[in-house]
């Protein structure tokens, strides 16, 4: 257990509305990630952060933005939700200083449905 | 860029039989290799990882994997599976900053 909490765990929202998912960690890890999981696609990286106010895009970043104003919180925002963003979203952290070569620990997921 | 191919999307097997889940990867740089397991409605958990050294890696729950650099493979094996091993398994490669690329997953179903 790497002390990762995601909220909300389940959400249904309407197309065109903004949505923010929150990831909170209690162990002061530097590297944090947002992935989405869809059937047949495994997990795909949306955005990641390597420190406060330091973020970068992953492979499926279009339509998403992130913010990290505190070490413990990493927010994922869908500015205007679309049905294609219906998915399960996982927050993750890399346990270690350098990021690479370290085990990735995942939160329990946030199920988002856009209707 | 790197990619991961899990060669089997579904693997059915009888209890106490051996199993191998296959993973091939490609990368232009050195990578670290991981296997994760996901039980229904949960996040992923680490099974094992290869960073360097011995190419045979042992993980939790009796799983092991062998890194083969020449074949760019990292296949997962277990000599005797249990019903409780039924889950989805993901192979992943990791490069700088801990960014991981995952395969599409293999669903292992263990039948009595």
């Amino acid at each position: 257990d790497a002390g990762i909490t995601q909220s909300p765990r389940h959400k249904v929202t309407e197309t065109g509305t903004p949505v923010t998912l929150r990831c909170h960690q209690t162990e002061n890890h530097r590297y944090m990630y947002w992935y989405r999981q869809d059937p047949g696609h495994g997990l795909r990286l949306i955005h990641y952060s390597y420190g406060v106010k330091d973020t970068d895009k992953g492979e499926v970043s279009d339509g998403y933005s992130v913010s990290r104003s505190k070490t413990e919180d990493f927010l994922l925002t869908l500015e205007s939700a679309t049905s294609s963003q219906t998915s399960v979203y996982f927050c993750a952290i890399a346990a270690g200083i350098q990021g690479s070569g370290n085990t990735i620990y995942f939160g329990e997921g946030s199920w988002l449905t856009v209707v | 860029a790197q990619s991961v191919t899990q060669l089997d999307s579904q693997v059915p097997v009888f209890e106490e039989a051996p199993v191998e889940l296959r993973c091939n990867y490609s990368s232009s740089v050195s990578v670290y290799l991981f296997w994760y397991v996901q039980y229904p409605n949960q996040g992923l958990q680490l099974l094992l990882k290869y960073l360097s050294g011995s190419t045979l890696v042992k993980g939790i729950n009796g799983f092991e994997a062998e890194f083969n650099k020449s074949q760019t493979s990292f296949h997962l094996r277990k000599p005797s599976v249990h019903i409780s091993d039924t889950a989805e398994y993901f192979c992943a490669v990791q490069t700088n900053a801990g960014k991981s690329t995952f395969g599409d997953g293999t669903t292992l179903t263990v039948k009595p």
Side-chain angles (χ1 to χ4, degrees):
Chain A
D1 182 3
I4 304 170
T5 305
Q6 292 185 227
S7 60
R9 295 290 315 281
H10 297 87
K11 186 174 181 64
V12 180
T13 192
E14 294 185 348
T15 299
T17 61
V19 176
T20 295
L21 305 180
R22 179 180 182 242
C23 178
H24 179 78
Q25 55 131 336
T26 59
E27 298 185 5
N28 211 34
H29 295 294
R30 178 182 174 190
Y31 291 89
M32 299 184 74
Y33 312 85
W34 276 107
Y35 286 89
R36 60 177 289 174
Q37 184 178 26
D38 304 288
H41 289 280
L43 280 82
R44 292 179 289 176
L45 182 64
I46 305 171
H47 282 279
Y48 67 103
S49 169
Y50 38 95
V52 173
K53 298 186 179 180
D54 283 328
T55 64
D56 208 345
K57 296 178 179 180
E59 61 180 299
V60 290
S61 59
D62 288 348
Y64 301 94
S65 62
V66 290
S67 66
R68 192 165 179 202
S69 57
K70 297 185 292 184
T71 298
E72 58 265 35
D73 290 325
F74 192 32
L75 305 180
L76 176 70
T77 297
L78 290 67
E79 301 291 346
S80 177
T82 67
S83 58
S84 65
Q85 293 175 312
T86 292
S87 186
V88 184
Y89 292 86
F90 287 98
C91 175
I93 61 94
I97 298 174
Q98 295 181 347
S100 57
N102 293 304
T103 299
I104 305 298
Y105 291 92
F106 290 84
E108 294 188 343
S110 295
W111 275 253
L112 177 67
T113 302
V114 183
V115 298
Chain B
Q2 57 277 343
S3 66
V4 177
T5 302
Q6 293 185 238
L7 299 168
D8 307 290
S9 60
Q10 300 200 30
V11 174
V13 64
F14 286 105
E15 193 173 18
E16 299 184 3
V19 70
E20 178 180 77
L21 307 184
R22 298 178 294 167
C23 173
N24 288 346
Y25 70 94
S26 68
S27 177
S28 56
V29 298
S30 296
V31 297
Y32 302 106
L33 296 161
F34 298 76
W35 274 100
Y36 291 88
V37 60
Q38 184 179 35
Y39 299 104
N41 299 318
Q42 295 184 23
L44 280 70
Q45 305 169 34
L46 179 71
L47 269 179
L48 48 79
K49 62 182 178 182
Y50 173 79
L51 302 183
S52 64
S54 173
T55 57
L56 183 63
V57 181
K58 294 188 183 298
I60 62 171
N61 300 339
F63 284 93
E64 63 182 33
E66 185 158 18
F67 170 58
N68 188 319
K69 188 174 182 179
S70 63
Q71 297 187 5
T72 60
S73 68
F74 191 53
H75 300 334
L76 181 70
R77 302 186 183 99
K78 186 170 183 179
S80 176
V81 294
H82 303 291
I83 297 289
S84 59
D85 291 323
T86 294
E88 190 158 20
Y89 292 79
F90 292 92
C91 180
V93 298
Q94 188 186 102
T95 57
N96 62 303
K99 290 186 294 180
S100 299
T101 300
F102 289 83
D104 290 344
T106 297
T107 300
L108 173 64
T109 302
V110 181
K111 301 179 286 185

